[in-house]
Amino acid sequence: MSDWRPRLIASDMDGTLLRSDDTVGDATVAELARWRAEGVPFVLATGRPPRWMHRVREVIEFGTAVCCNGAVLLDLGPMKIVDEAPLTPDALQAITAELRVRQPTTWFAVEHGWEFRHEPVYRPRWDVDAPGVGVATLEEMTAAPAAKLLARHESMAPDAFVELIEEIVGDRATVTHSSSDALAEISAPGVTKASGLAAVAARHGLGPADVVVFGDMPNDIAAFEWVRDGGGRAVAMAHAHPDLLAVATDVTLGNDEDGVAAFLATL
């Protein structure tokens, strides 16, 4: 594949495109601009919600963002949500009720549109006093569709907690995680970064064989498998989670070393 060139570039944000100080390196900005000049679309594929995309949009300026692990497609130009695949109220109510019975000290939050709502006891790590963030009861949160349901536990080991959530949820929803905390991210059935990327690629008349995707955490696994199995390149960062490294086609430098730019330069 030495002469292979992508026709679409996709990248996770945290731990991948972004450095540890939450910035995009100059080398990465320049490399993405070079590919854009050659007509290659760029897609951000992230667990982040749309409301967390303003700062990166100031740097990247263009492209599409697959937000909330595939549930929301955001046009970065006008900062407009163009598609959503939410969990239904029925699903939200059933899943949270059963989780609360099985693990009573599980606390919930939801992402929907540009808003974030959490139970009073849920302790946000990054959204303290931020715009669009508010407190709500579980009944209020599950009364409307949500792009993503977040389940958090303050004392369980992260892997054990996510495994428990997966066991309880089954095929009623998609469960993943991208944090070192005991935080499970729950989306509608079949909704992953892979489904979001496939939708964006299809809009450009492209498939997985045309895509290079970069990532570092388990919520990137579905996208990696979709690209790898379809003949594209799935590139893990040097520090990536072992489960992601296991499904990667390539490994690049770490995010603080502009690993995305370094790999793209070899193509």
Side-chain angles (χ1 to χ4, degrees):
M1 296 181 70
S2 59
D3 60 347
W4 181 88
R5 286 173 60 82
R7 298 174 65 191
L8 186 148
I9 297 167
S11 178
D12 171 51
M13 287 180 60
D14 299 282
T16 302
L17 189 77
L18 300 182
R19 292 184 165 199
S20 298
D21 62 2
D22 207 35
T23 64
V24 183
D26 291 342
T28 299
V29 173
E31 187 66 19
L32 293 177
R34 180 176 76 83
W35 284 90
R36 182 190 185 190
E38 296 182 11
V40 177
F42 176 64
V43 182
L44 288 168
T46 177
R48 289 190 179 203
R51 60 199 168 78
W52 282 12
M53 305 303 293
H54 291 282
R55 285 179 59 190
V56 76
R57 190 262 182 202
E58 293 174 1
V59 178
I60 302 299
E61 297 182 348
F62 65 94
T64 302
V66 175
C67 297
C68 294
N69 292 323
V72 178
L73 298 186
L74 177 72
D75 186 338
L76 288 173
M79 289 297 285
K80 179 182 179 182
I81 293 175
V82 295
D83 198 11
E84 292 184 88
L87 283 157
T88 66
D90 286 348
L92 288 167
Q93 292 160 13
I95 290 170
T96 55
E98 188 167 344
L99 291 176
R100 181 59 51 83
V101 169
R102 292 282 300 274
Q103 184 52 260
T105 51
T106 298
W107 313 118
F108 299 105
V110 294
E111 296 278 4
H112 56 90
W114 298 93
E115 306 291 320
F116 176 73
R117 296 290 181 267
H118 62 89
E119 291 186 283
V121 72
Y122 182 103
R123 292 189 288 179
R125 302 297 197 265
W126 308 281
D127 285 307
V128 180
D129 298 325
V133 174
V135 174
T137 66
L138 184 57
E139 183 180 13
E140 291 168 337
M141 287 191 301
T142 59
K148 183 164 67 169
L149 171 66
L150 298 168
R152 180 183 290 284
H153 201 280
E154 296 294 345
S155 60
M156 284 188 68
D159 288 346
F161 180 65
V162 173
E163 289 174 5
L164 174 66
I165 300 299
E166 290 175 332
E167 174 194 334
I168 295 170
V169 170
D171 59 4
R172 292 178 293 175
T174 300
V175 179
T176 189
H177 63 110
S178 59
S179 170
S180 58
D181 297 333
L183 179 66
E185 303 167 55
I186 305 169
S187 304
V191 172
T192 64
K193 287 188 181 184
S195 65
L197 283 176
V200 176
R203 294 180 181 204
H204 292 281
L206 304 175
D210 304 306
V211 178
V212 58
V213 61
F214 297 87
D216 73 314
M217 290 296 283
N219 64 334
D220 297 308
I221 289 175
F224 268 43
E225 292 177 336
W226 175 70
V227 168
R228 179 202 63 187
D229 295 347
R233 305 286 283 273
V235 187
M237 311 308 286
H239 57 270
H241 191 285
D243 291 350
L244 190 69
L245 288 167
V247 297
T249 62
D250 302 88
V251 179
T252 188
L253 301 175
N255 58 321
D256 286 329
E257 301 168 285
D258 289 312
V260 171
F263 187 84
L264 290 175
T266 69
L267 303 178

